[in-house]
Amino acid sequence: MAQGCLKCLKYTMCAANFLCFVCGVAVLGFGVYMMVSFNMSALTPALAKFNFANMLLISGIIITCVSFLGFLGALKENRCLLLTFFLLLFFLMLVELTIACLLLVYEREIADLVTKDLNEGLQKAKKEVNPANSTLMSEWDVVQEKLGCCGVINVTDWGDKVPRSCCLSACDVAKPPYKQKGCLGMMQHMFEENFLTTGISVIVLCVVEVLGMCFAMTLFCHISRSGLGYKL
């Protein structure tokens, strides 16, 4: 009976790590997509230092490597791989909780940093001699079209140099209708909408990691008692 339960645990761990591997590949692919199609380094230079696309790439690589390690350790019943998997999961969980706490503590400072970056970026974009070939201007166009906003607070931020991406419809009329909401407010709204989802995702991820550590340690102890040692 105990042997059957442990076999079930072994294959459950293999299946879970395979799903984690697939998720890691998805995160890796999303990181590549962000790097190629959504570069905002000129728009928010302070936040660009963190380079979210690279962070996604690194996260995807770590997830795929750790999940493959757990899959192989469970499949081969290898103590070294299972212990390494356990320690890596524990370290990752500590890092995730630390980052979550830092984001909560420094939420206001991050918001002020984004506001300052957006205002400085908008002022630089207004001074561009050739807006059509400006990287900064093209990034503003992407943000304003994606979020349905105009300027930092509202359209008046652009003064008499309102870009076409601020228009609700045609820009060729005498008084074109502009988007009334600012990009800062839209970004804050988008963050608030996704805050609960992000929090729940972090909690679920931590629970999955704790279960993974419990499974790995249970299998590790069984292999130790069975005298299987470092079987490859």
Side-chain angles (χ1 to χ4, degrees):
M1 181 67 180
Q3 193 69 22
C5 290
L6 285 165
K7 277 191 176 182
C8 180
L9 177 63
K10 169 184 172 178
Y11 291 117
T12 301
M13 191 173 168
C14 286
N17 278 290
F18 177 75
L19 289 176
C20 289
F21 181 83
V22 173
C23 291
V25 172
V27 171
L28 189 62
F30 187 65
V32 173
Y33 170 77
M34 286 282 290
M35 183 177 289
V36 171
S37 61
F38 202 68
N39 181 20
M40 291 178 60
S41 57
L43 187 61
T44 53
L47 290 182
K49 294 175 184 176
F50 297 99
N51 205 323
F52 292 109
N54 284 346
M55 290 172 66
L56 285 173
L57 285 173
I58 294 170
S59 300
I61 292 170
I62 291 172
I63 292 170
T64 51
C65 291
V66 172
S67 56
F68 179 75
L69 197 66
F71 176 84
L72 195 62
L75 187 66
K76 296 292 186 179
E77 297 183 4
N78 186 293
R79 284 200 311 170
C80 284
L81 293 178
L82 287 171
L83 185 60
T84 306
F85 174 72
F86 174 87
L87 293 173
L88 286 174
L89 273 186
F90 181 72
F91 176 73
L92 284 175
M93 188 173 67
L94 287 181
V95 171
E96 289 160 8
L97 292 175
T98 302
I99 292 173
C101 291
L102 288 174
L103 288 176
L104 287 173
V105 171
Y106 294 103
E107 180 183 355
R108 184 175 295 276
E109 286 80 358
I110 294 172
D112 292 341
L113 193 63
V114 172
T115 305
K116 180 183 176 183
D117 266 3
L118 288 175
N119 281 314
E120 289 179 355
L122 188 140
Q123 295 304 319
K124 288 179 182 178
K126 286 168 65 175
K127 294 176 182 177
E128 293 287 350
V129 178
N130 190 1
N133 296 324
S134 168
T135 301
L136 182 57
M137 197 63 238
S138 65
E139 288 182 7
W140 268 106
D141 288 336
V142 169
V143 171
Q144 291 180 152
E145 288 171 1
K146 293 279 185 183
L147 299 181
C149 58
C150 182
V152 179
I153 305 301
N154 51 45
V155 66
T156 58
D157 293 331
W158 288 105
D160 57 350
K161 294 184 177 181
V162 182
R164 298 183 69 87
S165 56
C166 280
C167 298
L168 283 171
S169 53
C171 281
D172 300 326
V173 295
K175 290 185 177 180
Y178 294 126
K179 299 165 186 173
Q180 298 301 314
K181 295 181 179 179
C183 293
L184 179 61
M186 293 300 292
M187 285 180 177
Q188 290 174 339
H189 178 67
M190 185 174 64
F191 175 78
E192 288 168 2
E193 277 189 338
N194 294 304
F195 183 77
L196 181 61
T197 305
T198 305
I200 292 173
S201 300
V202 171
I203 293 171
V204 170
L205 183 60
C206 288
V207 170
V208 170
E209 287 172 346
V210 169
L211 289 174
M213 288 190 291
C214 291
F215 288 167
M217 191 49 63
T218 303
L219 203 55
F220 176 86
C221 293
H222 166 67
I223 294 169
S224 298
R225 286 197 304 266
S226 303
L228 296 176
Y230 299 90
K231 185 179 76 172
L232 297 174

